[in-house]
Amino acid sequence: MSEYVPTADAAAPHGADAHGEHYDPVASKIGMWLFLFTEVLLFGTLFIVFAVYLSLYHFNFSEGSRQLDKVIGATNTVILLTSSLTMALSIAALERSSKRLSLLLMAITLLLALSFLCIKAYEWHHKFEHDVYPTSATMLAKPHGQQVFFGLYYTMTGLHALHVIIGGAAILAAMVLVARGRVHAGRISFIENTGLYWHLVDLIWILLFPLYYLIG
Amino acid sequence: MQTPHAKSHPLVPYSLYFKVWVALIVLTVLTVAVSYADMQQTKILTALMIASLKIMLVVLYFMHVRFEKPLYAYMIVVVIVTYGVFISLTFSDYLYR
């Protein structure tokens, strides 16, 4: 509790803070974590819905899971885990004032996020071509449990993909701010909070992947 | 550690992040490999246990909770307990109605 100095930022060498702009990294971080908790509970309720229907339609959920491609799911997992690594490294680089390295690592993170979305889009497209989507003729002919499984699959992976898009936009914003020198080693909150958000997006996928792809 | 930049925690070496990443990839390979085994009863439980381990690694190291003040860990415990209450209330309704 001792090392927090509210005015520490004034000692930062860069100019942005000379205007008396308020900067409170601890409050920012606590605020970010509180926001992340609301995200956890948002997905948490969906996971409870999933768990209830899993217990009611265990057999149908296994059948549904077998129709998803484990290799694609695992590939996307590796992509997101790696993007979490490059994001963490990017913050570590900026903490050491290596601006170029930090920007490069964020660019790689962004590319990985894009590849995740492309693979996800391909996967959905493939399913749509086989007439597997809510209310399609093929879908309505399936057992009720499988309809619920795929309904939840599209809802939860869709909401997750939306979070990937928002996270990607935040990383892009962080890149601009770092490039302009508005975010630097002495004023690191924005990139740190962006990183926290990105890791949360990764966490949710870590749970989604086994629950949808590996229970068949 | 008090530098002009007033970090809330000491710098984490790059190598630690790589080690955590390797562990996460190994666990991903493990969870996929295990899913091919024929074990209907424990399949979901095993998958959830490996996922929890991965989540702990990400939270503690990538999200820095291990290196921060304990406040964040306490907040996470409160959220887990709250979520546990949601789960038990929902299931006590669905399983015993």
Side-chain angles (χ1 to χ4, degrees):
Chain A
M1 283 300 188
S2 59
E3 68 270 64
Y4 170 55
V5 182
T7 54
D9 191 56
H14 302 267
D17 314 297
H19 308 294
E21 202 181 318
H22 187 61
Y23 174 67
D24 188 342
V26 175
S28 299
K29 191 177 283 180
I30 292 174
M32 191 65 201
W33 273 98
L34 289 175
F35 169 63
L36 294 188
F37 294 148
T38 67
E39 293 276 53
V40 166
L41 292 178
L42 167 69
F43 277 95
T45 48
L46 287 169
F47 277 113
I48 293 178
V49 173
F50 181 91
V52 166
Y53 281 111
L54 177 66
S55 67
L56 294 178
Y57 296 113
H58 191 215
F59 180 69
N60 287 155
F61 269 46
S62 288
E63 281 180 334
S65 179
R66 270 194 291 271
Q67 292 167 48
L68 298 175
D69 191 331
K70 277 184 196 184
V71 176
I72 290 183
T75 308
N76 257 351
T77 307
V78 170
I79 287 176
L80 266 200
L81 288 174
T82 310
S83 78
S84 250
L85 169 72
T86 53
M87 191 65 215
L89 288 175
S90 164
I91 298 166
L94 198 65
E95 281 175 338
R96 292 161 173 80
S97 295
S98 316
K99 187 172 156 181
R100 272 168 181 274
L101 182 60
S102 175
L103 283 171
L104 174 69
L105 285 162
M106 273 193 282
I108 296 172
T109 311
L110 212 51
L111 276 179
L112 290 167
L114 276 177
S115 10
F116 177 93
L117 287 172
C118 289
I119 292 175
K120 197 82 234 159
Y122 164 79
E123 201 181 7
W124 274 32
H125 179 72
H126 189 69
K127 282 264 168 293
F128 276 44
E129 278 196 324
H130 285 77
D131 207 30
V132 178
Y133 54 88
T135 72
S136 75
T138 316
M139 201 73 242
L140 290 175
K142 287 179 188 287
H144 187 237
Q146 275 199 45
Q147 294 180 30
V148 174
F149 177 84
F150 280 104
L152 281 171
Y153 165 76
Y154 283 115
T155 307
M156 291 175 79
T157 59
L159 188 62
H160 177 263
L162 181 66
H163 280 73
V164 173
I165 294 170
I166 296 169
I171 292 169
L172 197 62
M175 284 179 75
V176 171
L177 290 173
V178 169
R180 286 184 181 167
R182 297 274 295 139
V183 172
H184 49 77
R187 198 189 165 91
I188 206 153
S189 268
F190 190 88
I191 187 174
E192 256 190 348
N193 288 342
T194 305
L196 285 175
Y197 187 81
W198 191 249
H199 297 312
L200 180 90
V201 170
D202 187 22
L203 280 190
I204 292 162
W205 183 257
I206 287 176
L207 258 182
L208 283 176
F209 167 60
L211 285 178
Y212 279 101
Y213 293 80
L214 302 181
I215 59 168
Chain B
M1 189 173 110
Q2 192 72 25
T3 66
H5 295 153
K7 282 302 302 165
S8 59
H9 55 83
L11 290 180
V12 181
Y14 292 126
S15 59
L16 185 62
Y17 292 122
F18 277 103
K19 284 177 196 158
V20 170
W21 176 75
V22 169
L24 287 167
I25 299 296
V26 168
L27 286 170
T28 304
V29 172
L30 182 71
T31 192
V32 174
V34 164
S35 77
Y36 286 103
D38 186 29
M39 37 171 220
Q40 278 312 313
Q41 297 305 314
T42 51
K43 196 162 230 173
I44 294 164
L45 193 67
T46 316
L48 280 179
M49 271 163 53
I50 297 175
S52 312
L53 210 59
K54 289 166 77 179
I55 287 175
M56 267 169 62
L57 283 174
V58 171
V59 170
L60 287 177
Y61 293 98
F62 284 173
M63 296 175 95
H64 281 176
V65 169
R66 175 96 199 269
F67 315 107
E68 299 275 2
K69 298 181 202 98
L71 170 70
Y72 302 96
Y74 297 151
M75 292 201 297
I76 290 168
V77 170
V78 170
V79 171
I80 292 173
V81 170
T82 311
Y83 188 52
V85 171
F86 287 176
I87 292 177
S88 38
L89 285 177
T90 311
F91 271 92
S92 65
D93 178 20
Y94 263 95
L95 297 180
Y96 299 106
R97 59 167 61 183

